[in-house]
Amino acid sequence: MRMMKRRTFLLIFGLLLLMSPSEAEVFTSIGQMTDLIYTEKELVQSLKEYIQAEEAKIAAVKSWADKLDMLTQASTADPEGYLAHPVNAYKLVKRLNTVWSELESLVLQDPSDGFISNISVHRQHFPDEEDEKGAAKALMRLQDTYRLDSESFSKGKLPGVRYSALLTVDDCFDMGKTAYNDADYYHAVLWMQQALRQLDAGEEAIVSKVDLLDYLSYSVYQMGDLPRAIELTRRMVALDPTHERAGGNLRYFERLLSKELRESEKSKPEPSMEKPIDLSTYERPRDYLPERETYEALCRGEGVNLTPKRRSRLFCRYQNGNRNPRLLLAPMMEEDEWDSPHIVRFLDALSDAEMEKIKELAKPRLARATVRDPKSGVLTTANYRVSKSAWLEEDIDPVITRVSQRIEDLTGLTVDTAELLQVANYGVGGQYEPHYDFSRKDEPDAFKSLGTGNRVATYLNYMSDVEAGGATVFPDFGAAIWPRKGTAVFWYNLFRSGEGDYRTRHAACPVLVGSKWVANKWIHERGQEFRRPCGLTEVD
């Protein structure tokens, strides 16, 4: 019994390691999460080996138990007669001195040691509680941006998916609880309602219907729907009349509703549970982002302001970099993506081999992407930028040097004063909400430490196709640029006068399905004096 408790403790300890604190922020990068697939495969194999060893051990102990059981049945039937034979007496002494010691050693062997040791090696790379919370919030972000109801998620009905993935009652409940704990009652209602719908349909679950109704009724109350809160609480009381909160909540809700009805002099509405709670039942709370609706509409491919007249101004051409020797024999194909501000896309900007090499170099260096605090100028993480990034020096590999040279040849701008190549990988619901690449007048010291002036232009390489979502959008003028592997887009952030072009406020839409890899090059003002001379007016 003591050893069984020890083994049980070791197994529980191993599982608890899955929950150990970590600062990996795994969910923010699909590229790094792929390693977890192979880690989990290795752990499953280790678990199987443990089970086989445990089964072999139990089989050996059982075999000994069967043999000894037969001996003890014979010996206890006539102890004195049994021991009268000297051989039996000898073998009894031998068994108690040798066999039972061997059995004790066999029982004390712990096949779980290897499994626990394997988990201990990998646990530093496991997701933690913050990762799980972040991934749950990412699903809610996707739900909002792409207007997907909870049922679509629970049944895996997403565009472009290659693998089915279902959410159970308990999964939906955990999603709702994550929102509830953040006082996000809008999403709490959506996910608790989905959990209840699946539970009512007969799906088995660990969570009880009473607990679901408890969370759901209070969340609905917080959303201001007293009739539905009363109906849900009545269901809870019917299931568990002794529930410590249900009766009190029900009386409280009914008093509030009566008071509202008296004040408004309306007849009592009939509570209805026939209509399921969905995205349109309650109004989604507004947040800090003024262009939220425009931004998300563009992410869905809606509201793009490219009229036929404007489209007629867009052309494609071969770019030779103003007769640059490196481009004369192999000019780059260039397409106009937008007329004003002018955004272009270069085709075949990176080869497959170059993209794989850049990813290979970046992957071990990936860390949670940061933003610059406008007041302090210090880099910090933010919930509105969910990705991981790595900065690659020029001398790390000839590929990086070659890519930088290509950017200079295509744009005609020097990259001597540009920032290092930043490689970013977007994870679950990965995004970067609307922002400017250049520093504004209220943050004059944003790039002071670099000593190279403001960011005059942005060059963005797409290193993966994205099955759904992940567009680069410009809410100010209604443009949506979709990722295409191997291509690059380029635009100026500053007018020739040095004034910022505020139209270039842009965002990286959440990745709905897939993994998005990009490589950014931010080109600065210093060194461009003769390559892009100043204009005479503010908007030149």
Side-chain angles (χ1 to χ4, degrees):
M1 179 62 73
R2 180 174 62 86
M3 291 311 304
M4 185 176 293
K5 288 182 177 178
R6 178 173 179 266
R7 288 198 300 274
T8 303
F9 167 77
L10 285 172
L11 285 173
I12 293 174
F13 172 71
L15 294 174
L16 285 175
L17 293 175
L18 296 173
M19 303 167 60
S20 60
S22 166
E23 296 179 358
E25 296 180 318
V26 176
F27 81 98
T28 61
S29 168
I30 291 294
Q32 286 190 328
M33 284 182 70
T34 55
D35 291 342
L36 297 180
I37 296 292
Y38 298 102
T39 297
E40 188 173 39
K41 182 179 180 180
E42 182 180 337
L43 289 175
V44 169
Q45 181 60 36
S46 178
L47 184 59
K48 286 182 177 180
E49 291 171 359
Y50 156 69
I51 292 171
Q52 290 172 354
E54 193 73 61
E55 288 175 341
K57 171 184 168 181
I58 293 298
V61 172
K62 187 175 184 298
S63 176
W64 275 110
D66 290 341
K67 292 177 183 177
L68 292 169
D69 183 46
M70 292 176 63
L71 286 171
T72 56
Q73 285 183 20
S75 64
T76 56
D78 182 9
E80 291 187 4
Y82 178 84
L83 291 175
H85 197 300
V87 172
N88 285 339
Y90 163 73
K91 293 185 73 173
L92 174 62
V93 172
K94 182 180 178 181
R95 283 198 303 273
L96 291 173
N97 180 55
T98 304
V99 174
W100 282 99
S101 294
E102 291 174 358
L103 274 174
E104 182 182 19
S105 298
L106 179 61
V107 172
L108 287 174
Q109 288 178 4
D110 198 340
S112 68
D113 287 345
F115 176 62
I116 297 300
S117 176
N118 204 6
I119 284 187
S120 299
V121 170
H122 291 294
R123 70 185 177 90
Q124 58 183 323
H125 304 297
F126 284 174
D128 60 11
E129 188 176 347
E130 286 303 310
D131 276 306
E132 183 178 344
K133 184 178 177 181
K137 288 184 176 180
L139 291 189
M140 296 174 206
R141 182 163 58 247
L142 293 174
Q143 182 178 31
D144 293 338
T145 303
Y146 299 104
R147 291 183 176 173
L148 300 168
D149 57 44
S150 304
E151 187 174 10
S152 296
F153 266 113
S154 68
K155 294 184 177 179
K157 295 179 180 178
L158 300 177
V161 294
R162 290 174 288 175
Y163 305 100
S164 60
L166 305 179
L167 291 173
T168 65
V169 170
D170 296 303
D171 291 333
C172 294
F173 173 74
D174 289 339
M175 289 283 294
K177 196 171 179 181
T178 296
Y180 183 93
N181 290 338
D182 279 350
D184 177 5
Y185 300 109
Y186 172 76
H187 289 106
V189 166
L190 294 177
W191 286 100
M192 291 295 178
Q193 168 69 18
Q194 180 59 32
L196 182 61
R197 184 184 292 121
Q198 292 178 211
L199 197 61
D200 284 341
E203 185 179 321
E204 294 184 359
I206 297 174
V207 64
S208 69
K209 186 173 291 188
V210 170
D211 285 341
L212 259 176
L213 289 167
D214 193 8
Y215 279 98
L216 181 56
S217 61
Y218 187 77
S219 298
V220 164
Y221 156 67
Q222 288 290 338
M223 292 303 296
D225 190 348
L226 278 171
R228 197 185 297 255
I230 290 171
E231 178 63 25
L232 290 167
T233 309
R234 284 174 178 168
R235 285 186 64 184
M236 185 165 55
V237 170
L239 288 170
D240 184 4
T242 63
H243 194 278
E244 59 181 352
R245 286 184 303 276
N249 284 352
L250 180 58
R251 290 188 293 273
Y252 177 67
F253 294 158
E254 288 175 336
R255 283 198 303 271
L256 284 179
L257 182 60
S258 297
K259 181 180 178 182
E260 286 184 4
L261 293 175
R262 286 196 303 272
E263 291 175 353
S264 60
E265 296 181 353
K266 292 180 180 178
S267 60
K268 182 177 180 180
E270 285 294 326
S272 174
M273 287 298 292
E274 285 75 25
K275 278 187 166 184
I277 300 170
D278 55 29
L279 291 174
S280 60
T281 302
Y282 303 121
E283 184 178 351
R284 177 181 160 196
R286 297 190 176 276
D287 62 14
Y288 54 87
L289 198 61
E291 67 264 67
R292 171 73 66 186
E293 291 183 6
T294 302
Y295 152 56
E296 291 183 349
L298 289 170
C299 290
R300 297 191 296 270
E302 304 168 5
V304 178
N305 295 326
L306 196 59
T307 62
K309 183 177 181 180
R310 297 185 69 172
R311 192 181 297 275
S312 67
R313 302 173 191 161
L314 307 182
F315 298 93
C316 57
R317 64 193 70 83
Y318 282 101
Q319 174 64 265
N320 62 16
N322 196 24
R323 300 186 61 80
N324 185 291
R326 280 178 289 271
L327 291 173
L328 275 177
L329 295 179
M332 186 75 69
M333 289 181 287
E334 178 183 303
E335 296 177 346
D336 290 330
E337 285 282 352
W338 207 262
D339 55 347
S340 180
H342 194 205
I343 303 174
V344 299
R345 187 194 295 264
F346 300 110
L347 279 62
D348 299 323
L350 290 175
S351 68
D352 287 342
E354 287 172 332
M355 287 184 282
E356 290 308 307
K357 187 61 179 180
I358 292 171
K359 292 177 187 178
E360 177 189 327
L361 294 169
K363 199 170 181 181
R365 297 171 173 81
L366 288 174
R368 178 68 184 268
T370 57
V371 296
R372 196 174 297 275
D373 188 294
K375 295 181 179 179
S376 65
V378 176
L379 293 175
T380 183
T381 59
N383 292 329
Y384 57 82
R385 187 178 192 183
V386 180
S387 66
K388 282 193 173 183
S389 61
W391 298 86
L392 302 183
E393 297 84 358
E394 294 292 320
D395 58 359
I396 194 174
D397 191 275
V399 167
I400 308 303
T401 305
R402 188 161 66 245
V403 169
S404 292
Q405 183 62 62
R406 188 177 302 146
I407 294 172
E408 182 169 304
D409 295 343
L410 286 168
T411 64
L413 302 173
T414 181
V415 295
D416 290 344
T417 56
E419 295 174 46
L420 301 179
L421 188 70
Q422 187 207 52
V423 180
N425 179 225
Y426 293 81
V428 181
Q431 61 155 7
Y432 191 178
E433 290 181 355
H435 62 282
Y436 301 100
D437 279 352
F438 64 91
S439 65
R440 277 77 64 210
K441 292 180 180 179
D442 59 348
E443 47 176 8
D445 298 333
F447 304 113
K448 185 177 181 180
S449 61
L450 301 178
T452 52
N454 210 342
R455 287 174 171 171
V456 66
T458 296
Y459 187 100
L460 174 60
N461 291 288
Y462 292 115
M463 298 195 297
S464 65
D465 292 315
V466 180
E467 286 88 337
T472 305
V473 299
F474 296 78
D476 185 82
F477 51 90
I481 314 294
W482 299 95
R484 285 159 57 188
K485 186 178 181 180
T487 69
V489 293
F490 172 77
W491 68 84
Y492 283 102
N493 297 305
L494 306 180
F495 293 110
R496 287 182 177 271
S497 62
E499 292 294 320
D501 187 347
Y502 284 81
R503 297 174 300 172
T504 60
R505 182 171 167 86
H506 62 286
C509 293
V511 176
L512 179 55
V513 179
S515 176
K516 180 180 175 183
W517 284 90
V518 297
N520 302 291
K521 193 73 169 179
W522 285 295
I523 304 171
H524 283 245
E525 290 177 292
R526 299 292 180 265
Q528 319 301 345
E529 292 82 1
F530 297 103
R531 293 176 180 246
R532 192 189 187 226
C534 292
L536 298 177
T537 65
E538 189 174 284
V539 294
D540 281 348

